[in-house]
């Protein structure tokens, strides 16, 4: 297998943590978004969508989305389970992972990409340039606050995002919450359940990668 990573971006970090939690050692190539290497001809020959992460399997299949990468690795290396064991658990993991992406990852990205000068004409990842829309950043900032509320409500009743066990949903949520620092958004101090969860995930070896 071959893993295309970017040490500074949140989505590759999600895959990186998943790989580490599985105890896998996969050949890795770094692609610098800061240098625009994802837009190079060489990388677009691997992934025409010019996004990272990418996992190329031993069979030569190119997987370009976190969920596809996670599903492949879970099927190939089922232990430890990170996407549930029972039908109910599997459904909850994917449900919560989707909620975290939609209500956490997306508004954080909207806020960053529609305000930061580095993304002046790169408001949406991919091979096509898009101009920034300030109103999307304003909406995104409000949604990030609601995301923190969602996490606190859930973690007040559950040890982890999708249930009693650590899963893919926790990886996604942890990475997005940590990355929210780039838009100066942090877990509110009164959100004690979320703070305890975040500290616990942050102590895992995979979180140091």
């Amino acid at each position: 297998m071959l893993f295309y990573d970017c040490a500074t971006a949140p989505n590759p970090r999600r895959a990186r943590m998943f790989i580490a939690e599985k105890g896998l050692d996969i050949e890795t190539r770094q692609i610098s978004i800061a240098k625009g290497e994802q837009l190079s001809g060489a990388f677009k020959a691997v992934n025409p969508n010019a996004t990272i992460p990418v996992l190329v399997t031993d069979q030569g299949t190119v997987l370009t989305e976190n969920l596809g990468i996670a599903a492949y690795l879970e099927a190939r290396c089922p232990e430890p389970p990170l996407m549930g064991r029972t039908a109910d658990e599997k459904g909850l993991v994917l449900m919560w992972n989707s909620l975290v992406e939609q209500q956490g990852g997306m508004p954080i990205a909207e806020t960053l990409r529609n305000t930061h000068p580095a993304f002046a004409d790169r408001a949406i990842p991919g091979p096509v340039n898009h101009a920034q829309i300030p109103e999307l950043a304003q909406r995104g900032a409000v949604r990030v606050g609601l995301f923190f509320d969602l996490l606190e409500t859930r973690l007040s009743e559950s040890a982890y995002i999708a249930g009693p066990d650590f899963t893919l949903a926790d990886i996604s949520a942890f990475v997005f919450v940590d990355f929210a620092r780039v838009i100066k958004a942090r877990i509110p101090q009164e959100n004690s359940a979320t703070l305890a969860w975040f500290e616990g995930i942050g102590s895992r070896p995979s979180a140091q990668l």
Side-chain angles (χ1 to χ4, degrees):
M1 290 185 283
L2 178 60
F3 177 55
Y4 289 86
D5 193 4
C6 175
T8 60
N11 280 322
R13 187 185 182 194
R14 292 165 61 194
R16 191 162 66 245
M17 284 184 67
F18 195 95
I19 290 168
E21 290 286 344
K22 286 292 184 182
L24 299 172
D25 184 13
I26 300 176
E27 180 184 352
T28 299
R29 293 182 186 171
Q30 287 290 329
I31 303 297
S32 173
I33 292 177
K35 297 178 181 178
E37 292 177 353
Q38 81 278 16
L39 300 172
S40 69
F43 182 72
K44 287 171 70 176
V46 177
N47 179 16
N49 290 326
T51 58
I52 317 166
V54 175
L55 180 71
V56 181
T57 73
D58 289 340
Q59 291 72 35
T61 300
V62 179
L63 302 173
T64 65
E65 298 295 328
N66 264 293
L67 191 55
I69 292 170
Y72 171 80
L73 294 176
E74 184 87 348
R76 178 166 171 166
C77 309
E79 297 295 332
L82 296 176
M83 299 180 74
R85 289 188 183 276
T86 69
D88 288 68
E89 290 173 354
K90 291 176 185 293
L92 283 169
V93 170
L94 292 185
M95 180 190 81
W96 277 103
N97 190 73
S98 180
L99 286 170
V100 165
E101 289 182 335
Q102 294 170 13
Q103 301 188 35
M106 187 176 297
I108 292 168
E110 277 189 344
T111 305
L112 174 64
R113 285 186 166 269
N114 286 286
T115 55
H116 198 287
F119 298 104
D121 61 350
R122 296 288 301 156
I124 299 176
V128 179
N129 291 340
H130 293 275
Q132 293 176 328
I133 302 175
E135 291 80 4
L136 290 180
Q138 296 167 10
R139 184 183 70 180
V142 173
R143 293 182 64 204
V144 171
L146 296 174
F147 174 58
F148 286 138
D149 292 343
L150 172 70
L151 291 181
E152 182 65 14
T153 299
R154 176 58 176 169
L155 292 167
S156 294
E157 62 186 21
S158 178
Y160 293 100
I161 299 294
D165 300 310
F166 174 84
T167 69
L168 169 68
D170 294 286
I171 292 175
S172 295
F174 173 81
V175 170
F176 291 143
V177 169
D178 193 35
F179 190 68
R181 67 185 183 278
V182 301
I183 59 168
K184 297 180 172 57
R186 305 310 297 153
I187 301 168
Q189 286 303 304
E190 62 271 22
N191 291 17
S192 57
T194 308
L195 287 168
W197 165 86
F198 186 78
E199 182 179 357
I201 304 299
S203 67
R204 302 175 76 94
S206 66
Q208 312 309 312
L209 301 175

